[in-house]
Structure formats: structure tokens, C-alpha cells
Amino acid sequence: MSRGSLNDPRSAPVRRLRGLRRRATRAEERRFLVEGAHAVEEALAAMRHQHAPDVVVRDLLMTATAAQRHSDLASIAHEVGVAVSDVSDAVVDALSDTVTPQGVIAVVDFVDVSVGTVVEFDPRLVAVLADVRDPGNAGSVIRAADAAGCDGVVFTGDSVDPYNGKAVRAAVGGHFHLPLAVDAGLEGVVDAVRSGGLQVLAADGTGTLDLDAAGHEGLLAKPTAWLFGNEAWGMPDDVTSLADRVIRIPIYGMAESLNLAMSAAVCLFASASAQRSLDTKRFG
Amino acid sequence: MSRGSLNDPRSAPVRRLRGLRRRATRAEERRFLVEGAHAVEEALAAMRHQHAPDVVVRDLLMTATAAQRHSDLASIAHEVGVAVSDVSDAVVDALSDTVTPQGVIAVVDFVDVSVGTVVEFDPRLVAVLADVRDPGNAGSVIRAADAAGCDGVVFTGDSVDPYNGKAVRAAVGGHFHLPLAVDAGLEGVVDAVRSGGLQVLAADGTGTLDLDAAGHEGLLAKPTAWLFGNEAWGMPDDVTSLADRVIRIPIYGMAESLNLAMSAAVCLFASASAQRSLDTKRFG
């Protein structure tokens, strides 16, 4: 690919890219910015291996220093036909929303698919975020879902934009590892995952059944969509009422709760572990 | 208690309190600042109920608005003999390190105890942080340990100050719920927890045994000190070599890892659940 050069942060192309820091512009162009060598490498790797989800990197911007440090990125970009542009530190500063940017930014097409696609191929574990507002928390849930081997993550209700810079950073490449769906209609999402064969478990402190008991009952080994609510105000009744069961993480000490990302990690790993334990009993 | 009034952020008493935002000053005065109604309430409650740890709140600073909104705090403060001072928004801004301070700040004596005290009374579950640098992560681990019913948290090696404002906020009152020790000498800490009857499990991606297998082997039901390492560079060999076993959280998807707080939550809850499951089998 021919290498362009972008040095002026006030130039039209940079101003246009800078627009992608706003949700409205991202939604319009269906593109987002991915910062940092690790996340960019995951995007390029997904494009090279063509595993789901379908990832298309439009541009790779690197400062001279970053290009030297991460010469492997330029090679992979070249291999998959992604243009690499030299950029100045000032351009990176204009595009980045981190305090100490690494000098590596990719422009990537939205990766989200429909909820129907998420549940199409016999999913076993899906994370559904309802009205989650904090981008760091939301991104961390994507990371936890990715680690727990989930078959997808669905952002629903009035949740934060999963393409928000902070969410993308916290997900550490998760956007390029597992299917992601964005669909505001929570009831439709619940219907869709249920018709995909998943029970719906809502994680909430008001649950009458605790996670350990759910495990002992064999509930966690079943194909499951976990529903996680807002970090500050929890889950309103009209959301919990959509679930088959409301499960509470047992609090053994004096803390009131865990934060959302920690709750999601505990629930998703409890399910992943129970599902695999069942595999071992069946086939092991 | 007689109510004082502090309006000038440049006055000597406010400048002195502002010094507590620095680690060196905190260490010298052995006092720290606690922000927000919830955490302050937990500190006052601990003082009232005199449960371990031993908590002494020296001063409670509230703006007029906050005092109105949280009138219960002034009552509890009065009950336990803590002076309440009216402060201006400017004073709160000078003392706070949050963007939107709630107008409630307490000055509290350090709560940490020796590692010996943490392991004195037949502990079952302790979290040890070695070289953890990020205050938000460290505070979240305290919160997770608190929720999992740990008998204590130990900060060791070159870890962040647990009294750092961000760590205190992330712990959401955890400092006042369970014993906390600060001791730089990791080897001594490991010896101490081991002599307290705890096995030492290091959580690290290099572990040959995974958490699920450890559970099936019955390892997690034993009294345990979990060792958690730095969020960025993991655990060096000289740290893992101190542990009885190195345990890895199984990564079922494509993520490289979980973040430290999520890892700690998953490990601590796996142990808490296994230990209580054993109780049920024994006594249930």
C-alpha cells in the first residue's frame, strides 16, 4: 500500500477522523478508532484470519517512533492490504483520548452483527448489557466475555456505545474476538436469545437464588444468556421480570456488592466452568 | 461536638489537610482522606460498632448542601464523638481528587495492622497484592476480597499506597470492613501467612494447573492466601517460586487475560464457594 503522510492536526482528513471521537459521527460513518499496538494487532489478526467477527481495518496511522517499535504491525497491514500512514505526534494527540498515546491508531469499520446472528449457531454463553453507562465497565465486560469463551455480547437498552474509545481500550481486542450486537430493544433481545435456546439469568443483588446454589442445582451448566444491569442503580423490576431467574452473587463479607466488571467475570466464569465440567462428565 | 467552619482553601488547616493527598504526608501523619457519603458512612459505622478493624474518624467535613442531603451522617458522627465541620465548596475542591466531589470528606487514622494480626485467628482466605501499582485495581481487589469474605488483605512488595484516594474510592468502604496490612517484605509476608496455616496460591497465566482443575482437586477448599501480581508485567519467577502452586484462570476464548480486579474476583469467589461447599458437606 502506498504510504500517505498526515502531519497537520488541523488538516481536513485529520479533522474528519477526529470526528470519530463523537458517537454521532461514528454512527453515521459506521467506523471507529482503535488505539494502541495490542488492540490494533488483534484487529489486523482478525482481518488476516477471517474468523468471525468480520473485521475491516480501513487505515493504520503510526508515528515514526511507533512504526519502528512495532514494525510487525506494518508487515501485517501490508499483508492484508491496509494502508499505513505516517502521522505526527500532534495528529495522534488530536485523535487519541488517552493521556500518553502509544502512537498507533487504526480506523476500523463497525463490527456489530444482529442479535439473530449472535444466537444463530447453538450458542452456550452470551452476555447481555442492559443500560450499562460506564464505558470502562462495558469494555471490561466484553473482555471478561471474551476470556470466558462467550459466543457473543449484546448491548441493549440505553447502554453506552461499545465503540467509545474507553470501552474499546478496556475490551483489549474483544471487539475483534467475538460477535457483538447493538440493539436497543431489550425485550426483543431477550426473545431472540431465548429462541436461540438460551435460558436468561439476570445478575442482581435482589435475586433469591445465589450463584453457588445455582451451580449446585445444575442451572449454570445450561446454555445461558446473562443479563447485566447498570452499575449504579442496578436492575429495575421490568428488566429482571424478563429473566427466567434472578441470580445474586453471594456476598460473604461486609461489602455491598462487586463492581459490574467483577460481577460479570464471576458469573461468566461460573457458567463457563459448569458447562465444561458437564462436557467432561459427558465425554471425558 | 462543636462545629467548626472552614471556608478558605488557602487557610493553614485546609493546606495541612490537602497535604494528605500526598503519600509521604499520609505516611508521616498516619491519616488519610475518605471521600463520598457511602465510604464515610462505612467508616463511622465501623467506629460505632467497634468491629475489627479499629477505625478512628478524626474529622468529618461537609458542605451545607451535603449536610442537608446526608443528615444521618452528622447524627452518627455526633453519636460516636466525631467533630463535624462546615466547609465551602472551594475547600472540598481543594481536598478532593474527584471531578464531581460529593461534598463529604472524612479524615481517618490509618487502619492497617501487622501481617501477624491478619493471620492470628485461623484465617481461611487472604488476598496478598505484590507490586500492584494501579490504585483503582488495588482498591477493587480490596472490594472483591471484602465481598468474598476474606479475612484480610496484605499490600506487599512495591505496591501502591492503599490509602491513595483512588484506591480508597474503588474499595467502597473495604478499608473499614476487613483487616488490611502493609508490609514491603514479600518473603516475610509469605512466611507469615503460611505459619498462619494458609497454603499460598499465586494467580498467574503461567500456572500449569487451572482454576477449575484446582477446584476439582479440592485445592480451593483449603485455607488459602492468594497472591496477585502486577497488572502489566505479571508475576516474576522469584514471586511465583514463593507460592505452593501457581494457578491460571482458564481462558476459554481469545482474550489474553482478565484484568487484575476481575482475576482477583474470580479466584477469591472460587475459593470462598469451595470452602463453603465443604462446610455444607461437613456440617450441612
Side-chain angles (χ1 to χ4, degrees):
Chain A
M1 288 281 108
S2 68
R3 293 169 72 90
S5 179
L6 290 170
N7 294 309
D8 182 359
R10 285 154 305 181
S11 65
V14 175
R15 285 213 315 269
R16 185 156 173 218
L17 288 175
R18 192 178 154 81
L20 295 178
R21 290 179 57 174
R22 287 191 305 274
R23 183 173 192 166
T25 311
R26 286 195 294 269
E28 205 179 292
E29 304 199 9
R30 289 197 56 81
R31 289 185 184 174
F32 66 117
L33 299 173
V34 177
E35 273 196 72
H38 183 71
V40 168
E41 190 179 343
E42 295 303 298
L44 291 170
M47 198 168 164
R48 178 161 63 175
H49 298 303
Q50 298 192 308
H51 59 65
D54 198 16
V55 176
V56 178
V57 180
R58 291 288 163 186
D59 281 296
L60 174 55
L61 316 177
M62 290 202 282
T63 60
T65 317
Q68 238 175 351
R69 188 175 304 149
H70 307 289
S71 54
D72 51 319
L73 288 183
S75 321
I76 310 175
H78 186 257
E79 196 186 313
V80 293
V82 171
V84 182
S85 302
D86 283 320
V87 294
S88 64
D89 288 332
V91 167
V92 167
D93 285 343
L95 299 180
S96 167
D97 62 354
T98 58
V99 184
T100 48
Q102 291 182 32
V104 182
I105 297 178
V107 184
V108 184
D109 283 0
F110 274 13
V111 294
D112 57 89
V113 295
S114 72
V115 180
T117 303
V118 167
V119 298
E120 203 170 6
F121 302 105
D122 292 329
R124 290 215 296 182
L125 194 54
V126 168
V128 180
L129 281 70
D131 300 323
V132 170
R133 297 289 175 82
D134 179 76
N137 260 331
S140 294
V141 176
I142 296 178
R143 182 177 179 180
D146 183 10
C150 282
D151 301 294
V153 176
V154 184
F155 277 55
T156 185
D158 196 12
S159 286
V160 68
D161 180 11
Y163 300 109
N164 169 297
K166 206 173 166 188
V168 173
R169 274 201 310 286
V172 200
H175 291 69
F176 315 120
H177 293 161
L178 77 172
L180 172 71
V182 182
D183 187 326
L186 174 61
E187 289 190 37
V189 167
V190 167
D191 286 346
V193 296
R194 205 171 264 139
S195 70
L198 299 166
Q199 67 176 342
V200 179
L201 301 182
D204 193 71
T206 62
T208 47
L209 187 67
D210 84 29
L211 190 68
D212 288 348
H216 297 143
E217 277 185 22
L219 207 61
L220 301 182
K222 296 182 184 172
T224 300
W226 274 102
L227 199 52
F228 301 109
N230 181 277
E231 46 277 49
W233 66 74
M235 214 176 269
D237 291 348
D238 59 333
V239 177
T240 52
S241 66
L242 295 172
D244 298 309
R245 299 294 287 268
V246 183
I247 310 287
R248 125 185 95 75
I249 294 178
I251 300 293
Y252 297 118
M254 295 181 64
E256 212 168 79
S257 62
L258 290 174
N259 71 32
L260 175 65
M262 295 193 289
S263 298
V266 168
C267 293
L268 294 172
F269 271 87
S271 286
S273 168
Q275 293 178 346
R276 276 157 184 89
S277 170
L278 192 70
D279 291 351
T280 314
K281 281 182 198 144
R282 272 197 191 139
F283 312 111
Chain B
M1 288 281 108
S2 67
R3 292 169 73 91
S5 178
L6 289 171
N7 294 309
D8 182 1
R10 284 155 306 180
S11 65
V14 175
R15 286 214 314 270
R16 186 156 171 217
L17 289 174
R18 193 177 153 81
L20 295 177
R21 292 179 57 175
R22 287 191 305 273
R23 182 173 193 165
T25 310
R26 287 195 294 270
E28 204 178 294
E29 304 199 9
R30 289 196 57 82
R31 288 185 184 175
F32 68 116
L33 298 173
V34 176
E35 273 197 72
H38 183 72
V40 168
E41 191 180 343
E42 295 303 298
L44 291 170
M47 199 167 163
R48 179 160 63 175
H49 298 303
Q50 299 193 308
H51 60 63
D54 197 17
V55 176
V56 178
V57 179
R58 292 287 165 187
D59 283 295
L60 175 55
L61 316 178
M62 290 202 282
T63 61
T65 317
Q68 237 174 353
R69 187 175 303 149
H70 306 290
S71 55
D72 52 319
L73 288 183
S75 322
I76 310 176
H78 186 258
E79 196 186 313
V80 293
V82 171
V84 182
S85 303
D86 283 322
V87 294
S88 63
D89 288 334
V91 167
V92 167
D93 285 343
L95 299 181
S96 166
D97 60 356
T98 58
V99 184
T100 49
Q102 292 183 32
V104 182
I105 296 178
V107 184
V108 184
D109 284 358
F110 274 13
V111 292
D112 57 271
V113 295
S114 72
V115 180
T117 302
V118 167
V119 299
E120 203 171 7
F121 300 105
D122 293 329
R124 291 215 295 184
L125 195 53
V126 168
V128 179
L129 282 70
D131 301 323
V132 169
R133 296 289 175 82
D134 179 76
N137 260 329
S140 295
V141 175
I142 295 178
R143 182 177 180 180
D146 183 11
C150 282
D151 301 293
V153 176
V154 183
F155 277 56
T156 185
D158 196 12
S159 285
V160 67
D161 181 9
Y163 300 108
N164 170 296
K166 206 174 166 188
V168 173
R169 273 201 309 288
V172 201
H175 291 69
F176 315 120
H177 292 162
L178 76 172
L180 172 72
V182 182
D183 188 325
L186 174 61
E187 290 191 36
V189 167
V190 168
D191 286 346
V193 297
R194 205 172 265 139
S195 70
L198 300 164
Q199 66 176 343
V200 180
L201 301 182
D204 193 71
T206 62
T208 47
L209 187 67
D210 84 31
L211 190 68
D212 288 347
H216 297 145
E217 277 187 22
L219 207 61
L220 300 182
K222 295 183 185 172
T224 300
W226 273 102
L227 200 52
F228 301 110
N230 182 278
E231 45 278 49
W233 65 74
M235 213 175 269
D237 291 348
D238 60 334
V239 176
T240 51
S241 67
L242 294 173
D244 298 310
R245 301 292 287 268
V246 183
I247 310 288
R248 129 185 92 74
I249 294 178
I251 300 295
Y252 297 118
M254 293 181 64
E256 211 169 79
S257 63
L258 291 174
N259 72 31
L260 176 64
M262 296 193 287
S263 299
V266 169
C267 292
L268 294 172
F269 271 86
S271 286
S273 167
Q275 292 178 347
R276 275 156 184 88
S277 169
L278 191 70
D279 292 349
T280 314
K281 280 183 200 146
R282 271 198 193 140
F283 312 111

